[in-house]
Amino acid sequence: MAKPTILAVDDDPVVSKAITRDLRDRFGADFRVAGATSGPGALELLTEFTLRGRAVALVVSDQRMPGMTGIELLERVRTISADTKLLLLTAYADTDVAIKAINDIGLDYYMLKPWDPPQDKLYPVVEDLLGDWQEGHRDSADQVRVVGHRWSDRSQEVKTFLTRNHVPYAWLDVERDDGAAELVELAGARPDDLPLVLLPDGEPLRSPTNREVAAALGLHTLADAPLYDLCIVGGGPAGLAAAVYASSEGLRTVVVERDAPGGQAGQSASIENYLGFPKGLSGADLTHRAVAQVARFGAEMVVAREAVGLRVKGPVRSVVIDGADELEARSVLIATGVSYRRLEAAGLDELGARGVHYGASASEAAQCEGEEVYLVGAANSAGQAALNLARYAKRVVMLVRGAGLELTMSQYLVARIEAATNIEVRVGCEVAAARGEEHLESLTLRDRATGATEEVDTSWLFIFIGAMPRTDWLGDDVLRDDHGFVLTGPELLQRPGRSSWPEDRVPFALETSVPGVFAAGDVRLDSMKRVASAVGEGGMAVHLVHRFLATT
């Protein structure tokens, strides 16, 4: 297969030659590097590559060029090759224009000239952009294939598990895709064997559990060590941040995640207010980067295993996971986050995941192409999902119980939703019932003020209605409020009639009622429910773990 191309554009021949040389020195083994000295010349090359079926991974362009500016060129590139990464080289005086281009044309990154030394300034940026591009362009021969029914609960669960664990796969619907039925026949599969998970190397998996899929893919489902310094339960932003800091500081660390890393944030189509990413980034991208950091520093990641109990054995804290296995550690961090609350409406539970989704990963939006989608919720997660779904769906209808979005959603999201021509916001409206045979077919909507109802046809309902913590497994020793959120630090001493703190010292800020067991992120009472704050609490928890370990 031909190498993908990097195209560098600068009207100064000396500069054009220099950046082409630098890119070829570092990336020439894996990418073809081409140069152009004008916007029109670059477009001619891009057209030629497109006609020949050559993928263009990255276009690097100077901003100040006569006849066609860099941003004008990159805007044209976006229309010809939508998935090409765009990098603008600019002067300090043009940074306002570059920032505007992030919103206007989807500019991926801008950096100031000159880029010397390239090892420090140019290469890290280009490596990051090319890594993102390669994630979306894996060799199809290495892909996992999933064969099943579009409206199968188990098929949906397998696809979600693969997506959230960053495993590329091809989906084949037995009723719609050529060759799917033949694969089922070749595998000798019965209807109850679906979905089939076909691996490049290995036997077909027949209606497998997530743990079976994880084991077949070589993901860790068992811990390696008999004792850890820190066991982190939950692989969302708080847990992953804690794993990075703990392992980088020499603590033997293991993370246990029941589904896949990322938590609710990992399903977000776009996190646009996270510091340091002016274009924003997807939850999947943030998670992928964090997991790579965790692996780099040597922390273990155990997936598809759920914590079901917590025990104290003298100086050791033991986390019991499903299957009766135990992970023993000198300290524990609870970072299990929250789950979306279930929507109470007639018929929803019977439909399962066949058209009814709690949360939505960025990849699920493509399944709704050309269709009408209904979404319940009015917080930031709902707004981000609505904007992502609107890229594919014919129409997205947001159902909001309150009087509007402004009180519960960030203003930048409200403005973008109002500007979207295919998003409708219906306030004071709720789902009263859902109907369907093999999958969701219609909803009954109710006006909360008048009680009037309306029937609408749809196959897609996405639900974002607040969250409940995952804390039932902790038992009675870890104090929680009436909603299940974990009490930490000073809150333990402020609860009337509760004097269960067993130590002479004051509990550390994120410490629970069990010494040496900490909580961080959304699972903790009065947390901010933001990605940045969860990451901060994860790092802070490691500092407190060090202090605790120094006392034992």
Side-chain angles (χ1 to χ4, degrees), residues 356-368:
V356 180
H357 304 274
Y358 288 85
S361 67
S363 63
E364 287 176 330
Q367 301 179 67
C368 310

Side-chain angles (χ1 to χ4, degrees), residues 296-307:
R296 176 190 170 199
F297 288 116
E300 292 181 38
M301 179 77 68
V302 174
V303 299
R305 302 299 298 272
E306 183 171 10

Side-chain angles (χ1 to χ4, degrees), residues 326-512:
E326 293 190 32
L327 290 176
E328 294 188 343
R330 299 165 64 202
S331 61
V332 170
L333 176 63
I334 303 163
T336 46
V338 292
S339 301
Y340 287 111
R341 289 207 313 266
R342 309 295 291 184
L343 180 63
E344 295 184 6
L348 279 182
D349 288 343
E350 291 78 3
L351 285 166
R354 290 169 290 141
V356 180
H357 304 274
Y358 288 85
S361 67
S363 63
E364 287 176 330
Q367 301 179 67
C368 310
E369 187 164 4
E371 301 190 36
E372 293 204 351
V373 171
Y374 285 76
L375 184 151
V376 179
N380 279 5
S381 56
Q384 290 159 349
L387 289 166
N388 187 50
L389 290 164
R391 295 168 56 204
Y392 301 92
K394 180 172 70 174
R395 187 169 70 119
V396 177
V397 181
M398 298 185 69
L399 306 176
V400 179
R401 289 167 56 90
L405 298 175
E406 290 76 10
L407 293 178
T408 53
M409 188 179 294
S410 296
Q411 182 56 41
Y412 78 93
L413 287 172
V414 175
R416 291 182 61 192
I417 288 170
E418 290 175 346
T421 58
N422 63 335
I423 298 180
E424 175 187 348
V425 180
R426 299 184 60 169
V427 299
C429 185
E430 63 187 3
V431 175
R435 295 179 181 81
E437 294 297 329
E438 294 184 353
H439 61 87
L440 176 66
E441 296 174 0
S442 67
L443 297 172
T444 301
L445 308 183
R446 179 166 54 217
D447 187 298
R448 288 172 55 80
T450 66
T453 60
E454 174 189 359
E455 295 289 321
V456 295
D457 293 333
T458 185
S459 297
W460 302 97
L461 177 65
F462 294 90
I463 301 168
F464 301 79
I465 56 168
M468 297 295 291
R470 304 173 181 174
T471 55
D472 291 344
W473 62 279
L474 290 171
D476 296 333
D477 290 337
V478 177
L479 294 183
R480 306 183 290 281
D481 75 350
D482 295 338
H483 299 289
F485 290 96
V486 177
L487 306 183
T488 56
E491 295 160 354
L492 298 171
L493 307 179
Q494 296 169 1
R495 304 290 285 186
R498 301 250 181 116
S499 57
S500 61
W501 178 247
E503 300 288 314
D504 293 334
R505 63 175 174 82
V506 172
F508 296 121
L510 299 180
E511 198 167 16
T512 72

Side-chain angles (χ1 to χ4, degrees), residues 43 46 59 73-82 84 86:
L43 291 175
L46 184 64
V59 175
L73 165 63
L74 296 179
E75 184 176 16
R76 294 282 302 277
V77 172
R78 183 64 82 210
T79 63
I80 298 171
S81 181
T84 294
L86 307 180

